[in-house]
Amino acid sequence: MKAGFLPKHQERAVAKASAWAEVLGYVGSIALSCHKLQQLSAQEAQLARKVQALMKDEQDVQCIDGSLLRQLQLLRSARLLRLALICQDLADSMTAVNDITEGRVKGFNHPVAISCAGLLSAAVSTYKYWNA
């Protein structure tokens, strides 16, 4: 918030409203991510069953189409990323709850907990946007 833009008595209320909106956004993001995680898990299980059935029929792993194994690998990495995004949203929501309660919730206000939440969020963002 830009310094001096709002009077002091309104600044605090606007900051709290902003933190509430942030928490609501995280709750929605977590709910959507959990739904997507369930979908990815179901797709992965279905593809894994298909690969297992082919392995039993063929008795030779090299006869299985490489694209199926690649698809299975992509589903697993997408599921892992979705899980990491949920952890990131939980960590970010912890800091927002700390802002709402103004540091009155024990554990949420500890500097180490806030720092770890920030580091977790940064690590997930780095993993998500890493191009290598």
Side-chain angles (χ1 to χ4, degrees):
M1 204 170 297
K2 191 165 179 137
F5 182 71
L6 291 173
K8 276 284 190 209
H9 66 280
Q10 289 180 341
E11 191 174 299
R12 196 166 164 182
V14 169
K16 192 172 265 197
S18 172
W20 272 108
E22 196 174 354
V23 167
L24 287 174
Y26 290 132
V27 168
S29 177
I30 290 168
L32 289 173
S33 288
C34 286
H35 178 68
K36 183 66 175 174
L37 186 63
Q38 286 177 335
Q39 289 177 336
L40 288 170
S41 294
Q43 289 174 351
E44 181 185 347
Q46 182 181 15
L47 191 58
R49 283 191 301 271
K50 187 175 181 179
V51 169
Q52 286 290 72
L54 286 173
M55 286 174 70
K56 284 181 183 177
D57 291 344
E58 296 292 329
Q59 296 297 326
D60 187 7
V61 177
Q62 293 183 358
C63 291
I64 295 176
D65 187 14
S67 66
L68 284 178
L69 295 176
R70 177 71 180 144
Q71 230 179 346
L72 187 60
Q73 182 184 18
L74 288 173
L75 281 171
R76 286 182 177 155
S77 64
R79 188 173 50 87
L80 178 66
L81 178 61
R82 187 59 56 179
L83 194 59
L85 291 173
I86 291 171
C87 291
Q88 180 184 33
D89 284 342
L90 286 171
D92 289 341
S93 64
M94 184 184 108
T95 59
V97 167
N98 188 51
D99 290 343
I100 290 170
T101 61
E102 297 172 348
R104 290 187 296 251
V105 176
K106 191 172 183 166
F108 280 42
N109 63 353
H110 197 278
V112 174
I114 298 294
S115 298
C116 287
L119 283 173
L120 174 65
S121 182
V124 171
S125 288
T126 302
Y127 175 75
K128 181 170 68 172
Y129 294 115
W130 196 264
N131 289 329

